[in-house]
Amino acid sequence: SAVISQKPSRDICQRGTSLTIQCQVDSQVTMMFWYRQQPGQSLTLIATANQGSEATYESGFVIDKFPISRPNLTFSTLTVSNMSPEDSSIYLCSVAWGGFQETQYFGPGTRLLVL
Amino acid sequence: ILNVEQSPQSLHVQEGDSTNFTCSFPSSNFYALHWYRWETAKSPEALFVMTLNGDEKKKGRISATLNTKEGYSYLYIKGSQPEDSATYLCASTGNQFYFGTGTSLTVIP
C-alpha cells in the first residue's frame, strides 16, 4: 500500500483562474493517475501521469486544460486551467504498481468549487 | 468505455441490520472487479479485488461475490454499524478503471 497526500484539500476559486493540485506519495510508484468526480457522477480518469514524459490523456480531456507534471516517481501535479463552474469537482490522484488487476491506492482528494 | 452501474443509489438501514448492494458491468472482455469504501474527506479504501467467476471474498463483516458470466457483483454487510456509513464504489477494469456512481450507505444508530 501507499500513503498519499494531496494539497490543497479544498479550495474555492473564481472563474477564469487556475489551480494546481499536488500529489505526494511516500514511496516510489510506477503508475500515477488523476481522476475527477463531478457532482452525482462516477470517478472518471483524466490522465495517466508518466514520469519524465508527457501525460496520457483520456478522451474528453486535453493538456491545455489539465496540464500535468511528474518530475519524479513520488510526486505529480495537476493544474485546472481557466476554470469555470463546470470544473467544480473532487480531484483525486491514485497510484499503482502493476496492471489493472492490481489495487489502485487513492489520495484523499481535493474538493474544488468554482464560482 | 465500460458502463458500470450500482444500485441502489442510496440506502438507510438500522444498526444491526444486514444489507447488500449490486454492481453491474459488461461481462465481455472482463478483467477484474474492485470494491472500494469511501468516507467523506478520506481516501477511498480498497476492499476487494476479484477476477474469477464465483469468487467470494470476505473482510470482517463485509463480503463480496462475483458472477462474470452475467456481469454482476454483490457486496454484503452483516450486522451494519454506524462506522459502516460510507459510499461503496465498484470498478470494472479493461484498459483502465471504470467506476460506478456508488451506493451511499447510512447506518442509523
Side-chain angles (χ1 to χ4, degrees):
Chain A
S1 64
V3 176
I4 305 166
S5 60
Q6 286 186 233
K7 290 182 183 179
S9 59
R10 59 177 65 238
D11 208 341
I12 301 173
C13 300
Q14 297 297 319
R15 68 171 67 211
T17 62
S18 297
L19 177 72
T20 295
I21 302 168
Q22 298 179 5
C23 178
Q24 179 74 56
V25 189
D26 68 342
S27 57
Q28 293 187 340
V29 293
T30 311
M31 306 172 78
M32 291 182 77
F33 307 94
W34 287 98
Y35 286 84
R36 176 177 79 176
Q37 186 186 44
Q38 294 177 299
Q41 304 296 312
S42 59
L43 272 174
T44 302
L45 182 64
I46 297 171
T48 301
N50 302 308
Q51 194 265 327
S53 65
E54 208 166 273
T56 304
Y57 289 85
E58 297 301 316
S59 176
F61 298 97
V62 295
I63 187 171
D64 290 346
K65 176 67 176 176
F66 298 101
I68 288 171
S69 78
R70 189 173 174 195
N72 56 53
L73 293 175
T74 63
F75 184 79
S76 179
T77 67
L78 169 76
T79 299
V80 186
S81 302
N82 189 24
M83 287 184 286
S84 67
E86 293 71 38
D87 295 318
S88 298
S89 297
I90 303 173
Y91 292 86
L92 295 100
C93 67
S94 73
V95 303
W97 283 266
F100 291 107
Q101 281 186 319
E102 303 298 322
T103 296
Q104 285 189 17
Y105 298 92
F106 287 84
T110 295
R111 284 153 178 78
L112 172 61
L113 176 64
V114 184
L115 302 176
Chain B
I1 296 178
L2 296 180
N3 188 27
V4 178
E5 297 183 348
Q6 292 187 246
S7 62
Q9 187 174 13
S10 67
L11 194 55
H12 290 71
V13 301
Q14 293 289 331
E15 181 176 354
D17 287 351
S18 295
T19 187
N20 65 86
F21 17 94
T22 306
C23 174
S24 301
F25 53 89
S27 56
S28 58
N29 299 316
F30 174 80
Y31 198 51
L33 192 287
H34 300 254
W35 279 101
Y36 286 83
R37 170 192 145 97
W38 191 7
E39 292 182 71
T40 303
K42 295 186 178 179
S43 302
E45 173 195 357
L47 291 175
F48 305 114
V49 180
M50 295 181 288
T51 58
L52 299 176
N53 185 46
D55 257 355
E56 292 188 26
K57 295 280 179 86
K58 187 174 181 181
K59 185 176 182 178
R61 293 180 291 99
I62 304 176
S63 60
T65 61
L66 178 67
N67 184 321
T68 61
K69 294 183 179 179
E70 297 182 39
Y72 64 84
S73 176
Y74 293 138
L75 189 80
Y76 301 90
I77 302 178
K78 185 177 178 182
S80 302
Q81 299 297 309
E83 57 265 30
D84 296 327
S85 297
T87 296
Y88 291 82
L89 297 173
C90 70
S92 181
T93 60
N95 61 346
Q96 60 169 276
F97 275 43
Y98 295 94
F99 283 90
T101 52
T103 293
S104 175
L105 174 67
T106 302
V107 181
I108 303 164

